[in-house]
Amino acid sequence: NKTATAHHTHATNTPTPITPTSTASETGITPTPTPLFSDNFLDNSQGWYVNNSEGYTRLLTPDGLTLTDTNHNPMIESLPTNLKFDDFILTTTLTLKQSDANDDSAGVYLRGDSNLDHDYRIDISGNNTYDITKEYLGTDNTPQALYIIAPSHAAPLKARGSPNTLTVIMTGSVLILFINDKLVNTIIDEDYTHGQIALFVANGATSPGVTAVFSSITINDAPTQFPLIPDCSVTPTPIVNSSDVTPTTCNATCATTPTPAIGVTPSTCK
């Protein structure tokens, strides 16, 4: 399991329109697909890693897979499968049971390499925000991360203690994120095409501990019918604070191209 803490340098991505197509059969009935992976955590028939170590606790309870982290490093629970996922739709329900309001979070890694050094990561945080990052190794092999979507509030996101259902569609370079069945963001990034999926909790520097419960997860092949995404060509606008050496966030606004702020050249935003 990966325990390294990444430094977050941030960037933003490009939503594009996706045209809906029909998947109905000639009879008008769409067959129920066989999941690529599915679990409701009623037992450990899937073979989850539930051993404990210092600062990390994993339990299967009647509520689901319960992960507790007091180690101030992410605790990762890779899916117990050898499958490498490329195009898929993932739905998981998680509840942050205990967290602080700063940098505790829980969520999913997507299309990760074997060590989760390169991956996409979706966080649901204790301050009732979500974000999407792309992780990678820097030139000196230290963990780095770019915010594709910086920490943001979303109306569908429920407060700490309530279950939130994340649905992620990944097909080609497109990632579409729903929270509680409401579309919250669409991004494009071409770097990672396939890899593992993992659940995680992350305990921030100021928190005594974070606990999250995952009550279900299902992964199917990506659908051929997509939600209608507004036709808005989006490119990022960097925003920096005067104390920053490089931009720390990129806010997406239509028909806007990245521009320097306070004389600092913006980092690359795809």
Side-chain angles (χ1 to χ4, degrees):
N1 286 343
K2 176 186 172 192
T3 59
T5 302
H7 302 286
H8 283 146
T9 314
H10 323 315
T12 318
N13 270 29
T14 311
T16 57
I18 301 172
T19 303
T21 58
S22 175
T23 59
S25 67
E26 292 181 1
T27 63
I29 299 173
T30 303
T32 301
T34 300
L36 300 173
F37 183 89
S38 182
D39 203 352
N40 56 10
F41 302 108
L42 294 179
D43 54 40
N44 198 19
S45 57
Q46 294 281 17
W48 294 90
Y49 181 82
V50 289
N51 292 333
N52 300 324
S53 57
E54 185 176 358
Y56 299 132
T57 303
R58 302 168 173 87
L59 295 171
L60 277 171
T61 71
D63 293 330
L65 178 64
T66 301
L67 305 179
T68 298
D69 179 6
T70 60
N71 206 348
H72 305 292
N73 284 303
M75 186 176 84
I76 292 152
E77 186 76 4
S78 296
L79 265 61
T81 175
N82 292 323
L83 289 176
K84 300 300 180 185
F85 298 91
D86 46 21
D87 295 348
F88 58 84
I89 176 170
L90 175 152
T91 299
T92 186
T93 298
L94 67 90
T95 305
L96 271 173
K97 292 288 192 179
Q98 174 188 336
S99 69
D100 73 0
N102 295 315
D103 50 0
D104 282 353
S105 65
V108 292
Y109 288 92
L110 307 167
R111 289 184 178 173
D113 62 12
S114 58
N115 293 322
L116 290 176
D117 292 323
H118 301 82
D119 55 72
Y120 302 109
R121 169 174 156 168
I122 299 175
D123 288 68
I124 302 298
S125 298
N127 61 0
N128 208 34
T129 63
Y130 79 97
D131 62 74
I132 305 174
T133 61
K134 178 169 70 176
E135 297 188 326
Y136 64 99
L137 293 179
T139 55
D140 56 355
N141 280 333
T142 58
Q144 302 291 323
L146 294 171
Y147 274 139
I148 300 175
I149 301 296
S152 305
H153 292 283
L157 188 59
K158 298 176 184 176
R160 178 179 53 193
S162 298
N164 283 290
T165 297
L166 308 185
T167 299
V168 184
I169 300 173
M170 296 200 77
T171 179
S173 59
V174 178
L175 185 157
I176 305 171
L177 174 63
F178 296 81
I179 297 177
N180 297 319
D181 298 322
K182 301 296 184 182
L183 175 67
V184 296
N185 232 310
T186 304
I187 66 168
I188 289 179
D189 190 276
E190 300 178 348
D191 285 345
Y192 306 146
T193 59
H194 64 281
Q196 69 159 305
I197 293 173
L199 312 176
F200 76 90
V201 292
N203 176 215
T206 62
S207 168
V210 57
T211 297
V213 177
F214 293 83
S215 56
S216 65
I217 181 170
T218 300
I219 305 168
N220 287 294
D221 286 318
T224 56
Q225 181 175 349
F226 292 96
L228 184 62
I229 308 301
D231 186 3
C232 173
S233 177
V234 179
T235 49
T237 301
I239 298 174
V240 296
N241 299 319
S242 59
S243 60
D244 290 331
V245 186
T246 57
T248 57
T249 62
C250 295
N251 283 350
T253 55
C254 293
T256 304
T257 54
T259 54
I262 63 164
V264 178
T265 302
S267 56
T268 302
C269 299
K270 291 190 176 182

